[in-house]
């Protein structure tokens, strides 16, 4: 387009770029020509017309012409404003930012995905829904807690980015200044918000933040929800600390101090209100979803992440127009805390109610015990968060729920914080449930072994975690230790009292002047009884299982310390009074037999193993 004559009027400059009157004006943009002289000439023309409109000596005709010119100018500037935004706006490169988030969890990693479910039962037995869900749940690898507390700390400051080139920002500010001065504030805000919101939506898409309603989120299966929670935690840090913060900076660069209202705040809210609500709606939906125990740890991840973001949310959304967004975060945080409390209570109920009645073979560790102790170990990993959330003691005894529950007095543990008392209570109701399950064994000795195995496992899990041991405390740990040791003693008494009874002298001495003093028939019966009882114990208890190697050895040694001296003494006293045909076992045979107990292998398997 030719340069205008020096005496061209401001109105003529405006009309020359009227897109409704000229194909050339419709297809070209002033600010795309990189002709700063033409850009300045047009802006000066707009300024001149606006100045003229403030004159009090204008005739109606002149006023009408100026109004028409300013409307044409505003339409042109609106198009120019939109075009500059569109041609210079691209979604933030999220990958480098996301990769900068540390993947180091705040806790020591343990073994990855854990599955535990109670033994299969007959199809007619109806499983309790809560424990079925938590028993089939997969605990995420501790390494995947990258998206929780520690990783938040790796990106704990706002990182504003320059979203547009300085020249584009300067042009946008020049246009915005004139549109606002001419009374086109709303139009300017709407154009700005619509363009920048689409850019933010593009960044959201790159970050994996989906547009889901609260209903959509609550209908997700747990595996899908679990994945989306992890993705949300990573994305939220980028959205708050980079994306929204940078959008706020851009609004400030373009609109600060323009007009009588806070234009920068208005444009910022126009841009990010819907995306921010979309971001927070996800967490809100999770916080009010069904309180299943398997969700607890992801809820706590969300809680930690949101809590860590609160100061940045306050900074980014510090204006009055942003108040509705700003207050959402602490409200959702409160609901997450309440959800966590509810899930812990659900877990306690599920442990108490777990209904499986089929005894685990060999009296080994029940899957419920493994599951509960792994769950408790995870709770101890989150003790900082849960310690702030759990503020009341557990409700114990029969008033706990509508099923029989153990009574427990926490007065002796008064110095323990509420979270620790909840862990102790969970162990207590687990032990209570296990006592009930032990009654389904027909053999009392096996029932005692079952209790010994399970309570010993509980003790070892507590001792194996420094944090868990500190929370449970040595006092209650000693109580549990006494329980499993008493169960071991009860098992030995129930099993070996009959065996040792055969090795007593009573009933073996005969009377009469021609007697040797020992009744050979009674002695033969005594050896037959001993052999039969030991055979049965050996055959049966070789199939039983004590999975902990050290406990298994201690149990065997304890048995040998009682059995071998008694048998050796019995043989010494009576061997000369009976044929060797009745003495089935040597002392060494008994020792070998005892050493074959509690490995879950049939006697025939032990024999084959010795022959190899």
């Amino acid at each position: 387009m030719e340069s205008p004559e020096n005496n061209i009027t401001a109105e003529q400059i405006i009309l020359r770029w009227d897109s409704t009157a000229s194909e050339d004006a419709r297809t070209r943009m002033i600010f795309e020509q990189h002709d700063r002289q033409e850009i300045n000439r047009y802006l000066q023309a707009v300024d001149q017309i606006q100045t003229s409109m403030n004159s009090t000596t204008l005739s109606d005709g002149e006023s009408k012409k100026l109004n028409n010119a300013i409307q044409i100018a505003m339409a042109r500037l609106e198009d120019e404003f939109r075009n500059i935004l569109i041609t210079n706006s691209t979604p933030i490169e999220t990958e480098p930012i996301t990769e900068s988030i540390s993947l180091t969890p705040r806790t020591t990693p343990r073994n990855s995905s854990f599955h535990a479910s109670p033994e299969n039962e007959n199809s007619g037995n109806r499983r309790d829904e809560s424990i079925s869900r938590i028993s089939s749940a997969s605990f995420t690898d501790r390494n995947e807690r990258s998206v929780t507390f520690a990783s938040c700390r790796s990106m704990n400051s706002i990182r504003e980015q320059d979203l547009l080139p300085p020249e584009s920002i300067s042009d946008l500010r020049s246009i915005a200044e004139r549109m606002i001065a001419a009374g086109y504030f709303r139009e300017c805000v709407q154009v700005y918000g619509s363009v920048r919101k689409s850019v933010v939506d593009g960044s959201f898409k790159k970050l994996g933040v989906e547009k889901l309603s609260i209903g959509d989120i609550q209908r997700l299966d747990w595996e899908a929800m679990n994945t989306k929670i992890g993705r949300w935690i990573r994305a939220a840090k980028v959205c708050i600390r980079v994306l929204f913060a940078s959008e706020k900076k851009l609004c400030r660069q373009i609109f600060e101090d323009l007009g009588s209202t806070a234009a920068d705040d208005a444009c910022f809210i126009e841009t990010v209100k819907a995306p921010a609500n979309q971001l927070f709606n996800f967490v809100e939906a999770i916080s009010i979803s069904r309180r299943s125990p398997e969700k607890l740890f992801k809820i706590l991840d969300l809680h930690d992440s949101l809590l860590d973001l609160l100061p940045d949310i306050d900074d980014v959304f510090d204006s009055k127009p942003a108040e509705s967004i700003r207050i959402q975060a602490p409200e959702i945080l409160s609901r997450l805390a309440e959800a966590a409390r509810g899930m812990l209570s659900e877990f306690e109920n599920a442990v108490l109610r777990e209904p499986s009645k089929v005894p685990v073979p060999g009296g080994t560790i029940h899957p419920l015990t493994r599951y509960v102790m792994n769950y408790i170990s995870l709770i101890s990993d989150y003790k900082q968060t849960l310690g702030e959330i759990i503020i009341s003691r557990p409700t114990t005894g029969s008033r706990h729920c509508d099923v029989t529950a153990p009574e427990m007095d926490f007065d002796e543990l008064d110095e323990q914080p509420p979270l620790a008392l909840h862990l102790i209570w969970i162990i207590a109701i687990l032990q209570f449930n296990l006592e009930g399950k032990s009654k389904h064994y027909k053999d009392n000795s096996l029932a005692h072994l079952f209790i010994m195995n399970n309570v010993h496992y509980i003790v070892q899990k507590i001792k194996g975690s420094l944090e868990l041991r500190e929370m449970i405390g040595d006092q209650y740990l000693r109580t549990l230790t006494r329980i499993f040791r008493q169960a071991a003693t009860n098992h030995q008494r129930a099993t070996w009292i009959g065996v040792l009874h055969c090795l007593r002298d009573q009933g073996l001495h005969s009377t009469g002047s021609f007697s040797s003093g020992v009744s050979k028939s009674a002695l033969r019966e005594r050896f037959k009884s001993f052999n039969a009882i030991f055979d049965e114990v050996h055959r049966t208890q070789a199939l039983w299982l004590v999975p902990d190697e050290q406990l298994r050895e201690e149990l065997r040694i304890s048995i040998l310390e009682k059995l071998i001296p008694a048998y050796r003494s019995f043989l010494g006293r009576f061997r000369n009074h009976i044929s060797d045909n009745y003495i089935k076992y040597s002392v060494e045979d008994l020792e070998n037999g005892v050493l074959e107990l509690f490995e879950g292998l049939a006697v025939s398997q032990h024999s084959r193993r010795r022959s190899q």
Side-chain angles (χ1 to χ4, degrees):
M1 189 173 289
E2 297 292 330
S3 298
E5 300 294 332
N6 290 335
N7 60 355
I8 191 170
T9 65
E11 184 182 354
Q12 289 173 321
I13 294 173
I14 298 299
L15 294 175
R16 185 171 63 185
W17 287 97
D18 182 3
S19 59
T20 63
S22 164
E23 180 66 25
D24 187 43
R26 187 161 46 248
T27 57
R28 300 174 66 195
M29 305 300 291
I30 301 172
F31 285 80
E32 277 187 348
Q33 307 307 308
H34 303 294
D35 183 347
R36 301 310 304 181
Q37 185 177 2
E38 180 65 17
I39 291 171
N40 291 334
R41 185 180 292 115
Y42 191 86
L43 293 176
Q44 288 169 7
V46 173
D47 292 341
Q48 185 178 341
I49 291 175
Q50 286 182 314
T51 301
S52 300
M53 288 180 68
N54 293 329
S55 174
T56 58
T57 60
L58 290 175
S59 65
D60 289 344
E62 289 173 329
S63 179
K64 186 176 181 180
K65 285 178 63 178
L66 290 175
N67 276 323
N68 181 58
I70 204 67
Q71 289 177 14
I72 293 171
M74 291 301 108
R76 163 55 69 176
L77 288 179
E78 183 177 320
D79 289 341
E80 296 284 345
F81 193 80
R82 180 184 294 105
N83 186 66
I84 295 171
L85 284 172
I86 291 173
T87 56
N88 291 278
S89 295
T90 56
I92 284 179
E93 288 299 323
T94 59
E95 289 187 11
I97 300 170
T98 305
E99 289 173 1
S100 71
I101 299 174
S102 169
L103 297 182
T104 304
R106 65 168 173 167
T107 57
T108 303
R110 302 190 182 200
N111 293 333
S112 57
S113 299
F114 155 77
H115 298 266
S117 58
E119 295 295 312
N120 293 331
E121 301 187 29
N122 297 331
S123 58
N125 292 337
R126 185 177 180 274
R127 295 294 306 279
D128 179 84
E129 184 180 358
S130 297
I131 201 67
S132 296
R133 287 198 311 274
I134 65 172
S135 295
S136 61
S138 170
F139 288 157
T140 324
D141 188 336
R142 307 297 173 88
N143 287 305
E144 292 180 10
R145 290 202 60 204
S146 59
V147 295
T148 61
F149 198 83
S151 58
C152 292
R153 293 298 179 191
S154 70
M155 191 179 171
N156 60 352
S157 60
I158 290 175
R159 299 183 182 181
E160 296 176 341
Q161 293 190 0
D162 292 321
L163 301 181
L164 297 178
E167 184 179 15
S168 298
I169 292 173
S170 177
D171 289 341
L172 289 168
R173 182 172 176 83
S174 297
I175 294 172
E177 182 178 8
R178 287 158 178 84
M179 290 185 70
I180 292 171
Y184 284 76
F185 170 76
R186 188 67 251 166
E187 289 80 357
C188 185
V189 169
Q190 287 174 346
V191 170
Y192 181 88
S194 65
V195 175
R196 289 307 306 175
K197 181 180 176 300
S198 67
V199 177
V200 173
D201 288 342
S203 297
F204 265 40
K205 188 174 182 181
K206 281 189 171 185
L207 289 166
V209 181
E210 303 174 68
K211 289 185 177 180
L212 297 171
S213 69
I214 289 179
D216 292 334
I217 295 165
Q218 293 184 334
R219 283 190 293 271
L220 291 171
D221 63 56
W222 174 235
E223 186 175 348
M225 186 180 290
N226 194 26
T227 300
K228 291 183 188 299
I229 288 173
R231 189 180 298 153
W232 184 93
I233 294 172
R234 286 189 292 271
K237 291 189 284 291
V238 178
C239 289
I240 299 297
R241 291 170 172 160
V242 181
L243 187 58
F244 293 161
S246 299
E247 288 294 337
K248 184 179 181 181
K249 176 184 176 182
L250 182 60
C251 289
R252 191 169 59 246
Q253 289 172 321
I254 296 173
F255 295 102
E256 191 171 35
D257 298 327
L258 296 184
S260 58
T261 59
D264 53 336
D265 291 336
C267 286
F268 175 60
I269 294 305
E270 184 75 16
T271 302
V272 304
K273 184 173 184 178
N277 286 334
Q278 178 186 338
L279 187 71
F280 288 129
N281 280 347
F282 177 83
V283 196
E284 182 173 11
I286 299 295
S287 72
I288 60 176
S289 63
R290 188 173 183 180
R291 294 178 177 179
S292 305
E294 78 272 13
K295 297 178 183 178
L296 174 61
F297 303 108
K298 279 299 181 182
I299 289 289
L300 295 175
D301 287 344
L302 282 172
H303 181 279
D304 279 350
S305 180
L306 190 57
L307 179 64
D308 193 62
L309 285 170
L310 275 184
D312 302 308
I313 293 170
D314 287 342
D315 286 345
V316 173
F317 299 101
D318 60 347
S319 66
K320 182 66 177 176
E323 184 178 12
S324 62
I325 299 174
R326 184 175 66 254
I327 63 176
Q328 282 188 67
E331 291 175 350
I332 294 172
L333 196 68
S334 177
R335 284 194 287 272
L336 287 172
E338 182 58 35
R341 285 189 286 268
M343 289 171 186
L344 185 61
S345 177
E346 284 293 318
F347 179 71
E348 293 170 354
N349 284 329
V351 173
L352 183 61
R353 294 168 181 268
E354 201 283 324
S356 61
K357 296 180 179 179
V358 176
V360 292
T364 189
I365 300 163
H366 198 285
L368 176 66
T369 306
R370 294 185 186 276
Y371 179 79
V372 170
M373 292 312 298
N374 277 281
Y375 197 96
I376 286 177
S377 294
L378 275 173
I379 287 177
S380 70
D381 288 345
Y382 288 83
K383 69 174 184 178
Q384 179 178 342
T385 302
L386 279 170
E388 297 169 357
I389 290 175
I390 305 301
I391 55 177
S392 61
R393 289 183 171 195
T395 303
T396 65
S398 299
R399 65 189 183 279
H400 176 70
C401 58
D402 57 0
V403 298
T404 304
E407 294 290 344
M408 190 163 188
D409 186 2
F410 287 120
D411 289 343
E412 294 182 359
L413 303 168
D414 194 48
E415 295 182 0
Q416 296 281 59
L419 177 60
L421 296 180
H422 275 271
L423 297 189
I424 292 171
W425 171 241
I426 291 170
I427 293 172
I429 57 179
L430 169 62
Q431 183 192 337
F432 181 80
N433 192 318
L434 292 171
E435 290 285 352
K437 295 183 189 305
S438 72
K439 292 177 172 58
H440 297 296
Y441 288 102
K442 296 179 180 178
D443 189 323
N444 284 337
S445 181
L446 182 54
H448 294 311
L449 190 81
F450 172 76
I451 294 298
M452 179 200 73
N453 273 330
N454 282 267
V455 179
H456 178 266
Y457 179 84
I458 293 170
V459 169
Q460 293 305 109
K461 289 292 287 187
I462 295 171
K463 288 182 176 180
S465 167
L466 179 61
E467 289 186 335
L468 189 55
R469 182 166 186 166
E470 288 178 351
M471 294 178 73
I472 297 298
D474 288 341
Q475 181 178 344
Y476 190 67
L477 188 59
R478 285 192 294 271
T479 299
L480 292 172
T481 302
R482 283 195 299 271
I483 292 171
F484 91 75
R485 292 198 182 281
Q486 184 60 51
T489 300
N490 293 341
H491 159 265
Q492 290 187 33
R493 285 175 179 169
T495 299
W496 297 100
I497 192 169
V499 177
L500 294 173
H501 190 71
C502 295
L503 302 179
R504 74 194 191 284
D505 290 2
Q506 185 179 353
L508 295 180
H509 294 281
S510 60
T511 58
S513 58
F514 299 102
S515 171
S516 64
V518 175
S519 171
K520 292 185 178 181
S521 61
L523 189 58
R524 286 194 294 270
E525 291 303 317
R526 187 67 61 83
F527 269 102
K528 285 181 182 180
S529 296
F530 175 84
N531 295 338
I533 295 174
F534 185 81
D535 283 347
E536 178 63 18
V537 170
H538 184 214
R539 183 188 63 81
T540 303
Q541 299 201 15
L543 290 169
W544 295 358
L545 183 61
V546 177
D548 185 89
E549 184 177 354
Q550 182 177 344
L551 179 61
R552 185 167 63 243
E553 289 304 310
E554 289 177 359
L555 195 58
R556 288 168 174 171
I557 291 170
S558 178
I559 293 168
L560 289 172
E561 286 175 347
K562 296 176 179 66
L563 177 63
I564 297 304
Y567 188 68
R568 183 180 284 117
S569 176
F570 190 80
L571 279 181
R573 292 194 304 276
F574 298 107
R575 187 165 201 152
N576 295 330
H577 299 282
I578 194 170
S579 168
D580 287 347
N581 292 333
Y582 292 97
I583 303 174
K584 182 175 182 179
Y585 293 103
S586 67
V587 170
E588 184 180 358
D589 290 335
L590 285 187
E591 289 177 344
N592 290 333
V594 171
L595 293 177
E596 290 175 346
L597 303 181
F598 314 126
E599 291 198 11
L601 298 173
V603 172
S604 58
Q605 291 176 286
H606 281 290
S607 300
R608 286 197 300 271
R609 192 169 65 179
R610 286 197 303 270
S611 65
Q612 291 174 352

